[in-house]
Amino acid sequence: MMLLNRSFFIITLWAFGTQVFASDWGGHSKLFLNSESSSSHGSSQDGVVLMQRLNVAQSLSEKWQVNAAYEFIANKTNSNATTIDPTQPYRAFHTGKVWSSKDNKSIINQNLDRFQIRFSNEEWRIIAGRQAIWFGVGRISNPTDVFAPISFIQNDKEHRIGVDAVRISHSLGELSDIEFGLVFGDKFKTENSAFFSKIRTNIENWDIEGIFIDFLDATLVGANIQTNWAGIGFFTEMAETKPMGEDPYFRLNFGATAMLQNEVILNGEFHYNGAGERDYEEYFSSLDSFSFTNGGVWYLAKEYASLGFSVAPHPLWQISSDVILNINDQSFLVSGGLEHSIADELSAGIYAVIPNARKTGTEFTEYPRSVQANMRFYFCLLYT
């Protein structure tokens, strides 16, 4: 009953805000049809997910703005459904589940994903409230991104999960700035919260970014570097993380992106994961360590390489695919998708993840084979 009352309060506040304050609002509806099967575990799961997101933006003045975003997620599976609203530690409060069936195969969740006030002028920018915070330039992994990292095989990457924070940035000149912030954990407790600082500059076509994060009894020192030469973009991302009471670990990404003729984009990348192991027998021995529980680490081995491409054979069609190789055990994972723009506001697509299932005793053999069909509808209304 308390949860339903809280949901009613949030919805009422939302409706009041959209009518009284909002000058423009919009959002989207997304429908996902999912099917997963695992040859290593002999299991399968099918499901339907419907997501409804509303976005509201109001300019209070030339320098002040308020933004909010609220989601409902309905999830129906043939096994236990999961909660979409994150339980990751960087939210002071969680909106949580609205309703679930007795067999837990149907769930409706709510997610207050954005609720922030912004101030900006020529030199300063301040954002307070629930917002998206991420760092990194890599594609298959981001060593500097620990607040709400996204898995490489996750298909819907449109919105980063919002965290509760206050961040302040100050311009140091053209293409240079310094930023620092506080990210709040459960109930604003100090032990659940984090501090970060970042400095960014550009030196002769080199974008250089230094990052320091103090989070959950660990410290991270990292850097992101990008440049462009002969029409090819090169990037490097690295971070050294030192958890309290555990050995430090180093993670590194470097790669390149090239845009060819006919809207063809090629990607190549290498990832070193100092938190992983080289032998399969040791993969699962450290899953309870800080790197996997709170450090944003997904991969179990040490070295990985990836190749990918995307191409638009027609203005209304886009094809993409990636292959990631575990260099240590020689297993690989293939992902790919096809997207079609039906109208300006409507698109549909299909996305698949296919692991190497022929060789047992490898990391990607443990991954399920999955296929997802989706449809997305976007809308925007303006008030003056």
Side-chain angles (χ1 to χ4, degrees):
M1 182 63 68
M2 182 182 298
L3 188 56
L4 290 176
N5 290 338
R6 184 170 60 183
S7 302
F8 178 77
F9 170 76
I10 293 174
I11 294 171
T12 302
L13 180 64
W14 178 274
F16 177 77
T18 57
Q19 293 298 319
V20 177
F21 299 106
S23 59
D24 62 89
W25 65 282
H28 60 241
S29 297
K30 296 181 180 180
L31 175 65
F32 299 96
L33 305 178
N34 303 312
S35 179
E36 290 186 357
S37 63
S38 174
S39 58
S40 61
H41 299 285
S43 61
S44 64
Q45 176 176 288
D46 300 319
V48 179
V49 178
L50 178 63
M51 302 177 64
Q52 176 64 61
R53 183 181 179 99
L54 296 175
N55 302 313
V56 176
Q58 166 64 36
S59 294
L60 304 178
S61 67
E62 184 179 350
K63 299 178 180 179
W64 291 90
Q65 185 181 57
V66 176
N67 295 307
Y70 193 79
E71 292 179 332
F72 276 102
I73 308 104
N75 189 5
K76 169 67 176 178
T77 69
N78 59 357
S79 60
N80 287 344
T82 56
T83 299
I84 305 297
D85 184 39
T87 56
Q88 56 91 17
Y90 299 107
R91 286 190 170 184
F93 67 93
H94 301 272
T95 44
K97 183 170 60 178
V98 176
W99 172 86
S100 65
S101 61
K102 292 182 179 180
D103 58 7
N104 209 38
K105 293 182 179 180
S106 300
I107 288 181
I108 299 177
N109 298 303
Q110 57 182 330
N111 177 22
L112 181 60
D113 200 41
R114 302 286 188 272
F115 197 82
Q116 60 189 242
I117 185 168
R118 292 169 170 255
F119 169 83
S120 62
N121 59 22
E122 294 182 356
E123 295 185 354
W124 293 92
R125 185 185 65 169
I126 302 173
I127 306 176
R130 185 157 292 178
Q131 57 190 284
I133 297 180
W134 74 92
F135 307 112
V137 294
R139 295 183 65 252
I140 65 173
S141 180
N142 294 116
T144 60
D145 191 12
V146 297
F147 294 129
I150 292 180
S151 170
F152 170 67
I153 63 173
Q154 181 176 329
N155 180 29
D156 187 17
K157 302 177 182 178
E158 183 175 357
H159 297 289
R160 289 274 183 157
I161 294 173
V163 299
D164 295 334
V166 175
R167 60 193 303 185
I168 302 172
S169 61
H170 176 58
S171 174
L172 301 177
E174 186 176 1
L175 302 178
S176 298
D177 58 55
I178 186 171
E179 182 177 37
F180 56 91
L182 291 173
V183 183
F184 302 105
D186 188 40
K187 299 178 181 179
F188 296 99
K189 292 182 178 180
T190 303
E191 61 269 25
N192 299 328
S193 301
F195 166 82
F196 73 87
S197 60
K198 181 184 72 171
I199 186 168
R200 180 177 65 97
T201 189
N202 182 277
I203 302 175
E204 297 183 354
N205 201 37
W206 288 80
D207 289 322
I208 303 172
E209 187 177 80
I211 298 171
F212 172 80
I213 304 176
D214 188 331
F215 67 114
L216 301 179
D217 293 327
T219 56
L220 180 150
V221 178
N224 295 302
I225 303 171
Q226 297 183 88
T227 190
N228 188 286
W229 182 76
I232 302 176
F234 297 91
F235 60 87
T236 299
E237 179 179 355
M238 65 189 80
E240 174 86 0
T241 304
K242 172 54 179 164
M244 182 179 294
E246 297 185 18
D247 293 333
Y249 57 91
F250 178 73
R251 301 167 67 204
L252 168 71
N253 283 54
F254 62 84
T257 300
M259 179 175 289
L260 308 180
Q261 294 180 351
N262 301 321
E263 300 296 324
V264 178
I265 300 175
L266 300 179
N267 303 285
E269 190 169 354
F270 171 83
H271 172 57
Y272 172 77
N273 175 29
E277 303 288 345
R278 286 194 170 89
D279 297 325
Y280 176 80
E281 291 75 14
E282 303 294 329
Y283 280 176
F284 306 99
S285 62
S286 56
L287 289 183
D288 59 348
S289 66
F290 180 89
S291 59
F292 291 97
T293 58
N294 294 299
V297 175
W298 301 100
Y299 300 115
L300 303 178
K302 288 281 189 184
E303 289 97 9
Y304 296 84
S306 75
L307 289 174
F309 78 91
S310 66
V311 59
H314 185 276
L316 302 180
W317 292 89
Q318 181 168 348
I319 303 170
S320 62
S321 181
D322 290 277
V323 179
I324 179 168
L325 170 69
N326 180 327
I327 298 175
N328 301 127
D329 65 21
Q330 301 300 302
S331 64
F332 61 86
L333 193 71
V334 180
S335 63
L338 173 66
E339 291 284 339
H340 175 52
S341 177
I342 301 172
D344 290 341
E345 305 86 5
L346 182 64
S347 66
I350 186 168
Y351 179 79
V353 176
I354 304 173
N356 172 25
R358 295 181 179 179
K359 183 180 178 182
T360 60
T362 61
E363 176 180 9
F364 291 134
T365 304
E366 304 294 329
Y367 278 58
R369 180 185 293 105
S370 65
V371 177
Q372 180 188 86
N374 66 78
M375 183 167 287
R376 309 167 191 239
F377 172 73
Y378 296 84
F379 60 91
C380 180
L381 297 176
L382 302 177
Y383 286 83
T384 57

